[in-house]
């Protein structure tokens, strides 16, 4: 027993007691069962990967958050900071000939070198799904319904579901007469729910265009917000995005997910 | 998808396909269910530990098998090569006031830098139990029965259960008039099932003592081998070990584990 004496647990990590493990395993089993009911199948990848898998995706700057190291043969490796890139590596290397849509899920530990704070640890767990194949309103609704059922199944209270379509703002932003740097700034403003109309106008966007952009970015509610947006926009790609969002909402209701809020100001993932 | 292109999986590691994950999870659930039925509860420790946890136990030499690295604050860390030392660290740090016997199990990944070979990977999984508290023939039988049911439950064929008691040979070896280095060599010989009688005699052990040692080290069979050993040994500690082994065997049968072979030549763990 002396061998365990006095050596502390590494900073930012956790030991899980039996009572905590029972809750964890119950949540995991819930996630796994739901994913399987939606036709997803589990995959698992190694705990460490070649460093370049993540630097190729996120740039060298990501290294300051990584637990990177060299193995005894000098290979640059890192503990994985997330699971999407490893699962896509697995797909590219070995699963690309599988019939589509390929529906995969994963549940594994990830590592980030960050200052520990409340609820933030250096080793943490990620559950996720990848649907590889044509993206349709039906498949989008299925992914959202699965995520929603996972969260509500944990017993968390006060959850709110907001669904957007990045195509809507993407098309509008593309049409604005501003620079790329200004577009990036605009993303940030929309994401933070800051007002945009006078900022756009101040950067040379015609008043009518600035006004309709700001109006749509602020649209939230039931399917009626889509009707409202459709009266404003005649551009085919934008109208198609709005129609896809309407179908996604319809499929969600069919899957038993009621009361999702449509939110045209959702830009997460747009860049 | 391009981000996964061309980056290979790290040497010695595996990706698990859905069909493999389903088998893995079924085996894991079987182990977990059995452990819980035996009153064990699951714990989990971090994937990496302070390097000294393992060098303190196994010496600096263990480092050549470890994935060791320093974090950005200069801490010497390592991916865990096994789970006993971490679980005992957890016990010492946080669980030592829990009522005994404390029955813990764990199921986690471990890492060793070894040349990959058939069935040997650099990341692998370990399931194990720790029973912390007084060791009795009953608790020993319970641990053995659990391990046996885990293995047979996987559907593996051709399994054989051999049960020994390190107290028997330990007492005999302690009494032999040979050096510590020779005792270490003797361990190795017994472990490899090499003959020992003439070797012992050649190192100055009286013929009768060498002969009875070699005889006991070779004893294998049902409970009758204990009767045979008890006719040879009068020394109280050795007789006590033999009686404990008999009780363990009786408890094993009561737990439904029939036909375990007693084997007095089992020395694994003696050093």
């Amino acid at each position: 027993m002396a061998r365990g004496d006095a050596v502390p647990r590494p900073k930012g990590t956790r030991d899980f007691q039996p009572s905590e493990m029972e809750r964890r395993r119950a949540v995991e089993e819930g996630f796994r069962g739901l994913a399987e009911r939606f036709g997803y199948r589990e995959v698992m990848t190694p705990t460490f990967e070649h460093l370049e898998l993540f630097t190729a995706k996120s740039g060298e700057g990501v290294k300051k958050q990584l637990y990177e190291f060299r193995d005894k043969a000098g290979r640059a490796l890192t503990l994985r900071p997330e699971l999407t890139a490893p699962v896509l590596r697995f797909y590219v290397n070995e699963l690309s000939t599988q019939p589509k849509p390929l529906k995969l899920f994963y549940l594994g530990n990830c590592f980030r070198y960050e200052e520990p704070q409340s609820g933030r640890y250096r080793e943490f767990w990620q559950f996720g799904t990848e649907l590889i194949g044509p993206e349709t309103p039906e498949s989008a609704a299925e992914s959202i319904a699965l995520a929603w059922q996972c969260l509500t199944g944990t017993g968390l209270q006060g959850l709110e579901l907001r669904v957007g379509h990045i195509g809507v703002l993407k098309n509008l932003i593309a049409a604005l007469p501003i620079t790329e740097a200004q577009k990036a700034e605009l993303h940030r403003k929309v994401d933070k729910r800051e007002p945009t109309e006078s900022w756009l106008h101040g950067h040379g966007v015609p008043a009518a265009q600035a006004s309709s952009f700001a109006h749509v970015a602020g649209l939230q509610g039931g399917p009626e917000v889509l009707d409202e947006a459709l009266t404003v926009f005649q551009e085919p790609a934008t109208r198609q995005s709005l129609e896809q969002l309407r179908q996604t909402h319809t499929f969600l209701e069919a899957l038993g997910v009621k009361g999702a809020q449509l939110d045209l100001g959702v830009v997460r993932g747009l860049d």
Side-chain angles (χ1 to χ4, degrees), chain A residues 8 37 66 71 88 182 184 197 231 245 269:
Chain A
R37 222 172 305 151
L66 297 180
D71 74 7
L88 294 182
Q182 288 165 343
E197 183 171 354
T231 63
L245 186 51

Side-chain angles (χ1 to χ4, degrees), chain A residues 103-194:
Chain A
K103 296 162 81 172
L104 305 175
F105 78 93
Y106 45 82
L107 208 168
N109 48 349
C110 301
F111 305 83
R112 288 187 199 169
Y113 192 82
E114 296 182 297
E115 271 318 297
Q117 45 184 290
S118 175
R120 279 270 181 123
Y121 295 91
R122 289 178 172 180
E123 176 171 16
F124 57 95
W125 279 259
Q126 204 175 71
F127 168 78
T129 62
E130 303 292 337
L131 192 149
I132 300 170
E135 191 166 319
T136 64
E138 192 168 3
S139 69
E142 221 180 67
S143 298
I144 295 165
L146 170 55
W148 181 246
Q149 290 187 21
C150 283
L151 288 172
T152 54
T154 62
L156 285 171
Q157 298 296 316
L159 294 166
E160 193 181 78
L161 177 60
R162 309 181 81 81
V163 181
H165 190 307
I166 56 171
V168 179
L169 280 193
K170 189 175 168 185
N171 294 329
L172 294 183
I173 292 175
L176 292 172
I178 55 177
T179 66
E180 288 306 310
Q182 288 165 343
K183 288 179 183 175
E185 171 68 7
L186 182 59
H187 280 164
R188 199 197 55 74
K189 280 182 172 295
V190 174
D191 192 37
K192 301 278 183 213
R193 310 276 166 179
E194 293 173 9

Side-chain angles (χ1 to χ4, degrees), chain A residues 9 16 36 44 58 81-82 85 130 133 163 177 200 208 225-226 262:
Chain A
R9 184 178 60 233
F16 292 92
E36 286 169 354
M44 187 187 272
S58 312
E82 52 92 14
E130 303 292 337
V163 181
L200 283 168
V225 306
L226 299 174
L262 297 177

